Amino acid sequence: MKVELDVQLDPTLGCGQAHRWRKKEDGAWEGVLGNSIVVLRQEENGMSVEGCSEKRILDYMRADDDVDFILADVSRRDPYVADLIERCPGMRILRQDRWECLATYLLATNANVARIGKMVESVCTEFGTDLGGRSSFPTPKQILDGKDRVCVCRLGFREPRIIELAERVESGDIDPDAIADLSYEDCCEALIGINGVGPKVADCVALFAYGHLEAFPIDARISKVMEVKYGVTGGYKKVADEGRRIFGPYAGYAQEFLYHSQFI
């Protein structure tokens, strides 16, 4: 199935915002959305899609974003990011499943992209539903039903955190869908109340799961860019606040281009 959309798959799926996509030898990208193995191939003016509906992939790719307007707004605010956007057309922010994104970024603390991917795949393989070559991201109940096996996943200090999160979501103490009704500030506050979620994880989840495009996550790479390019140093809040001030209501898009700048 051909789907028309202004997207380039390599930067969008390979820039570290989602962790279940693999680039195959033929250049296609294979990932898992819900209980479906999905294969995407770059096409002129869009992509070919196997494994899910057009509606599902367009929602995942945030096809409702006015990307031209967003990138024009970011570009007029900063010439460096404007140049990055010009050199890397078609990179989009994704709309990820709320529970999966929250659990994934809980695992992402103090780990690089490769390590995060390995941990996420191990959790899926151990607890998720076998889809035939890949496994779904497990539900909270699936994790709890097999929690005695969590050590197999080699999550280190994250083991009790993922179990606690699954318990709280399964009991209804945390409702990932209810958080969607909150403002950016209230969303981050609610997320930071979860054990293992600090400001950076909260910003990532706010951006990638809840669509708060003003979120500006700070990791070591972004911190360095903000220091070298913008002279901004200090603690997390200071640097993130300055990022939102510089880049405006779509700071999250600017952050993705800054993060990906080493590859552009």
Side-chain angles (χ1 to χ4, degrees), residues 62 93-95 179-188 191 202-217 244 248-253:
R62 295 186 61 92
I93 286 178
L94 303 171
R95 180 183 284 118
I179 296 173
D181 297 327
L182 302 177
S183 67
Y184 163 66
E185 291 79 8
D186 290 343
C187 175
C188 288
L191 292 169
D203 267 336
C204 288
V205 178
L207 177 59
F208 301 132
Y210 294 104
H212 290 294
L213 298 182
E214 68 267 48
F216 193 77
R244 287 191 294 275
Y250 307 110
Y253 266 91

Side-chain angles (χ1 to χ4, degrees), residues 105-111 115 119 154-163 195-196:
Y105 276 93
L106 187 81
L107 296 175
T109 50
N110 297 323
R115 172 78 171 118
M119 287 190 289
R154 301 176 65 86
L155 306 180
F157 67 86
R158 306 165 191 83
E159 289 182 8
R161 293 179 178 180
I162 194 70
I163 296 298
N195 183 27

Side-chain angles (χ1 to χ4, degrees), residues 199 216-220 222-228 230-243:
F216 193 77
I218 305 295
D219 64 358
I222 295 297
S223 181
K224 186 66 174 178
V225 170
M226 291 298 288
E227 178 181 1
V228 172
Y230 303 96
V232 179
T233 60
Y236 187 96
K237 185 178 187 306
K238 178 183 176 183
V239 179
D241 285 349
E242 188 64 9

Side-chain angles (χ1 to χ4, degrees), residues 8-245:
Q8 288 295 315
L9 297 177
D10 284 0
T12 297
L13 302 178
C15 69
Q17 58 177 314
H19 299 278
R20 300 217 62 200
W21 291 98
R22 301 172 178 171
K23 192 169 185 181
K24 303 170 72 175
E25 290 185 1
D26 65 358
W29 285 88
E30 180 191 89
V32 180
L33 297 180
N35 289 318
S36 300
I37 299 174
V38 178
V39 177
L40 306 178
R41 290 181 174 84
Q42 189 70 58
E43 301 279 355
E44 186 176 358
N45 300 319
M47 57 190 162
S48 66
V49 181
E50 300 174 18
C52 73
S53 68
E54 180 176 6
K55 183 177 184 297
R56 178 70 180 91
I57 197 64
L58 288 176
D59 180 71
Y60 184 70
M61 292 282 177
R62 295 186 61 92
D64 50 333
D65 281 353
D66 188 341
V67 173
D68 288 342
F69 175 84
I70 289 170
L71 298 184
D73 184 89
V74 174
S75 294
R76 70 179 176 81
R77 295 171 187 271
D78 181 73
Y80 178 62
V81 171
D83 180 63
L84 296 176
I85 290 170
E86 185 70 23
R87 291 158 53 196
C88 187
M91 184 163 68
R92 307 181 71 97
I93 286 178
L94 303 171
R95 180 183 284 118
Q96 300 182 41
D97 176 83
R98 294 161 184 166
W99 151 251
E100 180 175 340
C101 186
L102 173 56
T104 293
Y105 276 93
L106 187 81
L107 296 175
T109 50
N110 297 323
N112 60 33
V113 171
R115 172 78 171 118
I116 296 165
K118 288 179 181 179
M119 287 190 289
V120 170
E121 284 302 316
S122 68
V123 167
C124 293
T125 299
E126 190 64 33
F127 300 110
T129 300
D130 184 1
L131 305 176
R134 300 289 298 274
S135 297
S136 67
F137 195 88
T139 65
K141 186 177 186 303
Q142 285 178 310
I143 292 175
L144 295 176
D145 286 347
K147 65 181 180 180
D148 292 342
R149 305 193 307 274
V150 70
C151 58
V152 174
C153 299
R154 301 176 65 86
L155 306 180
F157 67 86
R158 306 165 191 83
E159 289 182 8
R161 293 179 178 180
I162 194 70
I163 296 298
E164 179 183 338
L165 177 62
E167 289 173 342
R168 294 186 66 187
V169 172
E170 182 65 16
S171 71
D173 182 42
I174 296 172
D175 181 356
D177 291 332
I179 296 173
D181 297 327
L182 302 177
S183 67
Y184 163 66
E185 291 79 8
D186 290 343
C187 175
C188 288
E189 183 178 350
L191 292 169
I192 289 173
I194 298 169
N195 183 27
V197 176
K200 187 248 183 174
V201 169
D203 267 336
C204 288
V205 178
L207 177 59
F208 301 132
Y210 294 104
H212 290 294
L213 298 182
E214 68 267 48
F216 193 77
I218 305 295
D219 64 358
R221 188 182 303 179
I222 295 297
S223 181
K224 186 66 174 178
V225 170
M226 291 298 288
E227 178 181 1
V228 172
K229 294 293 183 180
Y230 303 96
V232 179
T233 60
Y236 187 96
K237 185 178 187 306
K238 178 183 176 183
V239 179
D241 285 349
E242 188 64 9
R244 287 191 294 275
R245 185 194 68 79

